[in-house]
Amino acid sequence: LFGLPFEPIRQRGTRTETGRHMAYGAKAVTELSEVRVEENKHENKKDDEGGKGAKTHHHHHHGHHRQHHHDKQVPRSAKWKLCGSLVAVILGLICISIAYGGTEGTDIAWSRVLSDDAIPSTKTDVDGCKTAVFFGLVKYTIKYSSCSTGGSLSHSYDSDNCKTTFQETGPDDFCSSCYDSGASIGAFLGLSIALAVLSVLALICKVGGKAASTNVHNPGSLTALVLTMYVIFAVVAWVIWTADCHQKIRSFANDLDKVKVDASSAIYVGTGLTITASGLAVIAMLTALLC
C-alpha cells in the first residue's frame, strides 16, 4: 500500500531530470555552435589579413623592383658627369702646370712688352734693336733682335738692374709690386696643382666605383670642397697678376713715350693658361655639383 503512491512520484522525478539534461545538452550544443562560428570568423579575418599582407608585400616588392631598376640608371648617368668633370680637371691641371713654369722670363711668361725700338736697359749698345720683354713670376728677360749685337738679359725683380731699367721710367714700385705678386701667385699655383691632383684622384675613385657614388653632388662632400678650393686658388692667381704687376707693366709701356719709345703691353701665355685652367675648374665643379 505504501509503495503505490510513491511510484508515480518517482516517475515524475525521472521525467523532470531527463528534461533538465536535455535542456543542458541543447544549451551546450548552442554554445559549441557559437564558439565554432566565432572561430570561423577569426580564421576568415586572418585569411583576409593574410591576403592583404600578400598584396601589400607584392606591391612593395614591385615598387622596390622599380626603385632598384631606377637606381641602376643613376650610376651610369653619374659616371658620365663625373667623367666630364675628370677630363676638365685633367686639362686644367696641364694648363696650370705649364703656367707654373712661367716663373722665369721665358716664352711662358705672364706678360710681354714689344717695341720696335731699343728699350733703355743696362745694356748700352742696343741702338737699332727691336725689343721684347718677357715678365715671369720671379724674373724678367729682355731680348734684342734685328741688330748686330742681339742677345738677351735676364734679372730678378729684387735686383738693382730691375730698378734701373723700369723704375727710372715707370712706376716707382714696379719691381717690388711684381716681386710680391710673383711670390703670392707661386704659392697659389702650387696649392692649385695639389688640389687638382687630389680632384683627379677623387674623381677616378668615384668613376671606377661599382655604384659610382654621387656624393659629389652634395656641397658638403670632400670632392666638392676640393674642387671649390681649386677654382678659388686658380682664379686668385691670375687676378693678382692682372690687378698688380701687369698694371705696372702697362704703365711702364705707356711711360716709354716720355723717352720716345713706342711699346705695347699684353698678358701672355702664363696668364692665359691660368685663366683657361680656372675656367676648366669651374666647368668641372658645375658639372659635378649641378648637372
Side-chain angles (χ1 to χ4, degrees), residues 11 15 19 23 45 95 110 157 181 216 234 237 276:
Q11 291 179 355
R15 292 175 182 175
K45 183 177 180 181
C95 291
W110 284 55
Y157 293 115
S181 295
V216 68
T276 302

Side-chain angles (χ1 to χ4, degrees), residues 113-133 142-151 153 165-166 169 252-253 255-264:
V113 171
L114 294 177
S115 175
D116 289 335
D117 300 314
I119 294 177
S121 69
T122 54
K123 190 168 183 176
T124 56
D125 53 347
V126 292
D127 292 338
C129 293
K130 292 183 178 180
T131 309
V133 186
I142 302 176
K143 292 184 178 181
Y144 300 100
S145 61
S146 301
C147 56
S148 58
T149 55
L153 296 172
T165 303
F166 299 107
T169 305
F252 167 73
D255 290 341
L256 285 176
D257 291 336
K258 298 177 182 178
V259 292
K260 297 181 180 179
V261 174
D262 294 329
S264 62

